Amino acid sequence: NRPILTNWKRYYVVTAKTMDPVESAKKKAAILAVDNHVKDNFRVGIGSGSTVVYAVERLAERVKAEGLKVVCVPTSFQARQLIVQHRLTLSDLEITPELDVAIDGADEADASLTLIKGGGGCLLQEKVVASAAKKFVVIADYRKKSVVLGEQWKKGVPIEVLGMAYRTVINSIHSKLGGCATLRQAKAKAGPVVTDNGNLLLDWMFEGPQDWRVVDVAIKMIPGVVEHGIFVGMAQNAYFGMEDGTVSEVASAH
C-alpha cells in the first residue's frame, strides 16, 4: 500500500498548491462561521451565492459527523436546491418564522458591516430571512472587505422594483439621490432580469460617500420599490477569508 499512499500524498500537495486562492478563502470563512455559530437544534437561514455553497457543505458534514439536528430556511431557489441536495431538513418562514442564525454572503461590506447585497438578484428574500434571525453572520472573501462602500464593488446598489414602476423609480432616484440607476439586463436571454419574486432589478451607481441610514429610508419611500440591497445595522459578525490563508473576523458595534 505504500506506493499508493505516497502517490496520494503527492497528488494532495499538488492540488493544495494549485487551489484557487479566492475559493480557498471563501471555504475557510464559511467553515469557521458554521463552526462558531451553528449549534444543535438550531434553525438556520441559508443565504445565496458561491460562498454559501461551502457553508452548506460544512453544515452537512457536521450533521453527519456530530448528529446535529438543524432546520434550514432558504433565501432563494438556489439555496433551496443546496439544502435538498445535501439532505438537510428544509423549512420555510411560515413553518419556522424565528431563526437562531442566518448565514449569507455579501457583495461588499464596509468597516461598520453595512452591506451591499443583491448582485445575484436574491436581496429581498435574503433581507427577510436575515431579519428573522437572532444573529446574522456574513461570509466572504477578501475582495468584499472595504472601508467604505463602493471601494471594491463597482456595480451599484441593487433595487428590486415592480415591473410597472421601474421607469418612475429610476426618475425618483435620479432626482432625490443623484447618480445613475439602470434596469438590469439578463445575459442568457433577451430582456431584463426577473427575480424569484417576479420583479425587476435596478442597479443604482451612487456618487461619493453616503449616509446609508438616510439612503435606506429614502429608497424604501419611493412607490414601486419592493426592497433594496443596502443592509444597515443587520450583520453582527463577518468572516473574511484572506489572501494569506487566514480568516479575518469582524464584529459590529451595534
Side-chain angles (χ1 to χ4, degrees):
N1 294 332
R2 183 65 180 174
I4 297 175
L5 184 59
T6 302
N7 290 339
W8 180 84
K9 284 182 176 179
R10 186 178 298 117
Y11 172 77
Y12 177 81
V13 170
V14 171
T15 302
K17 287 182 178 179
T18 57
M19 182 182 294
D20 184 288
V22 172
E23 293 305 311
S24 177
K26 291 177 182 179
K27 186 171 185 176
K28 288 178 180 178
I31 289 173
L32 190 57
V34 169
D35 287 354
N36 284 354
H37 295 283
V38 178
K39 299 179 181 179
D40 194 25
N41 294 314
F42 260 33
R43 300 154 297 179
V44 184
I46 300 296
S48 308
S50 58
T51 309
V52 174
V53 172
Y54 297 115
V56 175
E57 287 178 356
R58 179 57 178 166
L59 188 56
E61 287 175 359
R62 290 191 59 198
V63 167
K64 184 177 181 180
E66 303 171 32
L68 289 184
K69 294 179 181 176
V70 294
V71 173
C72 300
V73 173
T75 61
S76 64
F77 184 76
Q78 178 226 10
R80 185 184 187 280
Q81 286 183 307
L82 280 173
I83 294 166
V84 172
Q85 176 188 338
H86 288 84
R87 299 184 178 182
L88 297 168
T89 302
L90 176 68
S91 188
D92 58 36
L93 290 178
E94 182 177 7
I95 298 169
T96 312
E98 296 180 354
L99 305 175
D100 295 290
V101 64
I103 299 176
D104 204 348
D107 297 307
E108 188 174 32
D110 70 10
S112 62
L113 295 190
T114 297
L115 314 174
I116 293 179
K117 289 177 55 56
C122 304
L123 60 121
L124 173 57
Q125 293 186 42
E126 288 173 345
K127 190 172 280 189
V128 171
V129 170
S131 69
K134 296 175 184 176
K135 178 170 283 191
F136 176 36
V137 177
V138 173
I139 51 176
D141 63 81
Y142 53 88
R143 303 171 304 166
K144 311 300 177 64
K145 186 179 184 182
S146 298
V147 177
V148 295
L149 294 184
E151 191 175 280
Q152 302 283 356
W153 180 252
K154 304 297 184 182
K155 298 181 181 180
V157 175
I159 303 171
E160 187 161 343
V161 299
L162 295 174
M164 64 169 288
Y166 87 91
R167 177 57 65 185
T168 59
V169 173
I170 287 176
N171 291 343
S172 293
I173 288 172
H174 289 172
S175 63
K176 295 177 181 179
L177 298 172
C180 180
T182 57
L183 182 64
R184 188 184 299 185
Q185 298 294 323
K187 294 181 179 180
K189 76 172 188 69
V193 170
V194 178
T195 70
D196 285 357
N197 314 297
N199 299 313
L200 302 183
L201 285 172
L202 306 179
D203 290 298
W204 172 50
M205 304 298 295
F206 55 91
E207 298 176 344
Q210 303 286 327
D211 184 333
W212 291 113
R213 292 190 180 275
V214 172
V215 170
D216 176 22
V217 175
I219 297 177
K220 286 180 179 176
M221 291 300 293
I222 299 173
V225 169
V226 181
E227 190 50 86
H228 61 73
I230 297 296
F231 285 50
V232 183
M234 296 185 70
Q236 284 98 340
N237 297 85
Y239 293 82
F240 299 96
M242 306 306 289
E243 283 184 282
D244 62 4
T246 63
V247 177
S248 172
E249 181 181 357
V250 180
S252 70
H254 61 267

